[in-house]
């Protein structure tokens, strides 16, 4: 995978070894290997068999390190799937300008929408995770990345549609987006949400949800943003199982579909040539929304 962003730093195993040796001597002798993550904001390296190092690639990922360091220990006991455990928070050194961290390695593989071993059970697992997140009662939570109304991303979504002329049915995409914009906005109190439940942020074992990773976008707001797995991962029957388990009403479902569509429309032209896994999932979502 090549560079994805103009502001992206060059990060390699040598830099990670030096950072670890300088700040965490107890792990200095462990092998360091880059991990082929499909993530867009952070670089991941295996550190021995049981640890990983995560470093922001870009400036807009820096604050997320401290956010996760603060909130993940509080959220972990409240959620029905494993989440990252931060074992060490590193600081700028060796020419690397930002905070970074070491966390416990989590086993599992990212789910593939085309090869789900047990889509119905996975849908129920995801619903339990989302419902548990919505029940979190931790005060002073940050604002979730997708906390507000869909209208907040209207300009970016329409711009992206314009870039996709000839690649997708832009008239159908525009109609689907405008339908989502007409859904009633969230009128309840802010609710905790992960806000980025893409396949690349989930780990499964034996077809079941084992862990959820990358909580950079977490916070409080409209919980409809956590309905996006219905279109980025689940087939139609399991999609309905997911909705039924959560009891999502028509307005929430329409907003969730709108978030899934907007994300995919914006991702496809941006990552089309630099991140094949993100681009492929974006095409999957667009097809799921427009044909569903």
């Amino acid at each position: 995978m090549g560079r994805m962003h103009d502001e992206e730093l060059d990060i390699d195993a040598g830099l990670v070894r030096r950072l670890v040796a300088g700040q965490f001597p107890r792990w200095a002798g462990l092998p360091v290997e880059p991990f082929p993550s499909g993530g867009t904001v952070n670089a991941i390296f295996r550190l021995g068999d049981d640890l990983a190092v995560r470093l922001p690639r870009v400036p807009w990922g820096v604050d997320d390190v401290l956010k996760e360091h603060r909130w993940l220990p509080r959220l972990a006991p409240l959620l029905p799937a494993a989440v990252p455990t931060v074992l060490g928070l590193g600081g700028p050194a060796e020419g690397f300008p930002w905070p970074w961290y070491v966390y416990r390695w989590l086993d599992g593989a990212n789910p593939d929408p085309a090869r789900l071993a047990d889509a119905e059970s996975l849908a129920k697992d995801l619903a339990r995770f989302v419902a548990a997140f919505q029940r979190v009662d931790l005060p002073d939570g940050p604002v979730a990345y997708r906390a507000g109304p869909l209208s907040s991303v209207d300009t970016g979504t329409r711009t992206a549609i314009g870039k996709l002329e000839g690649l997708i049915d832009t008239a159908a995409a525009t109609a689907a987006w405008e339908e989502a914009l007409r859904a009633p906005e969230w009128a309840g109190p802010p609710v905790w949400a992960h806000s980025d439940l893409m396949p690349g942020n989930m780990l499964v074992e034996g077809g079941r949800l084992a862990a959820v990773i990358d909580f950079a976008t977490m916070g409080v707001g409209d919980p409809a943003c956590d309905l996006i797995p219905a279109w980025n991962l689940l087939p139609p029957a399991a999609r309905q199982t997911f909705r039924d388990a959560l009891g999502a009403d028509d307005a929430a479902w329409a907003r969730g579909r709108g978030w899934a569509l907007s994300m995919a429309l914006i991702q496809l032209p941006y990552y089309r040539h630099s991140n094949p896994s993100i681009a492929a999932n974006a095409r999957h979502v667009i097809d799921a929304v427009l044909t569903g």
Side-chain angles (χ1 to χ4, degrees), residues 11-36:
I11 303 172
D12 58 23
L15 170 63
V16 175
R17 290 189 191 97
R18 295 192 300 274
L19 286 169
V20 171
Q23 300 185 43
F24 301 106
R26 63 189 181 278
W27 297 321
L30 297 177
V32 175
E33 298 290 340
F35 183 75

Side-chain angles (χ1 to χ4, degrees), residues 4-247:
M4 292 176 282
H5 315 286
D6 292 339
E7 306 94 330
E8 188 170 334
L9 293 185
D10 292 322
I11 303 172
D12 58 23
L15 170 63
V16 175
R17 290 189 191 97
R18 295 192 300 274
L19 286 169
V20 171
Q23 300 185 43
F24 301 106
R26 63 189 181 278
W27 297 321
L30 297 177
V32 175
E33 298 290 340
F35 183 75
S37 166
T40 62
V41 177
N42 297 280
I44 308 295
F45 290 79
R46 291 294 299 266
L47 180 61
D49 294 329
D50 302 319
L51 305 173
V53 180
R54 191 163 179 254
L55 311 91
R57 301 174 184 266
V58 287
W60 63 82
V62 175
D63 291 343
D64 301 334
V65 174
L66 300 179
K67 180 200 290 188
E68 291 192 339
H69 184 255
R70 177 185 180 188
W71 289 104
L72 281 176
R74 306 180 192 189
L75 289 167
L78 306 176
L79 300 175
V83 304
T85 300
V86 179
L87 302 177
L89 179 63
E94 301 293 335
F96 186 77
W98 303 319
W100 52 281
Y101 43 65
V102 178
Y103 61 92
R104 194 178 309 284
W105 181 257
L106 291 169
D107 289 324
N110 298 134
D112 182 342
R115 297 178 179 83
L116 297 180
D118 187 348
E120 289 290 321
S121 293
L122 181 58
K124 294 174 184 176
D125 292 343
L126 282 166
R128 279 192 290 271
F129 181 86
V130 171
F133 223 142
Q134 292 177 0
R135 291 193 298 269
V136 167
D137 184 19
L138 293 175
D140 303 320
V143 176
Y145 182 65
R146 299 178 177 92
L150 286 171
S151 58
S152 65
V153 292
D154 184 42
T155 299
T157 302
R158 292 181 188 274
T159 299
I161 292 173
K163 295 177 181 178
L164 292 169
E165 190 69 48
L167 290 175
I168 67 168
D169 185 339
T170 53
T174 299
W177 174 241
E178 291 177 346
E179 179 183 1
L181 288 172
R182 291 193 291 271
E185 294 183 4
W186 173 249
V191 175
W192 274 90
H194 180 281
S195 188
D196 198 21
L197 289 175
M198 298 178 61
N201 290 335
M202 308 173 200
L203 297 176
V204 297
E205 289 186 305
R208 305 298 297 270
L209 183 68
V212 176
I213 59 176
D214 196 344
F215 284 69
T217 61
M218 67 177 164
V220 298
D222 178 2
C225 60
D226 273 353
L227 298 176
I228 61 172
W231 295 275
N232 69 29
L233 179 62
L234 299 173
R239 185 180 306 154
Q240 187 62 46
T241 298
F242 179 65
R243 178 179 182 175
D244 291 344
L246 285 170

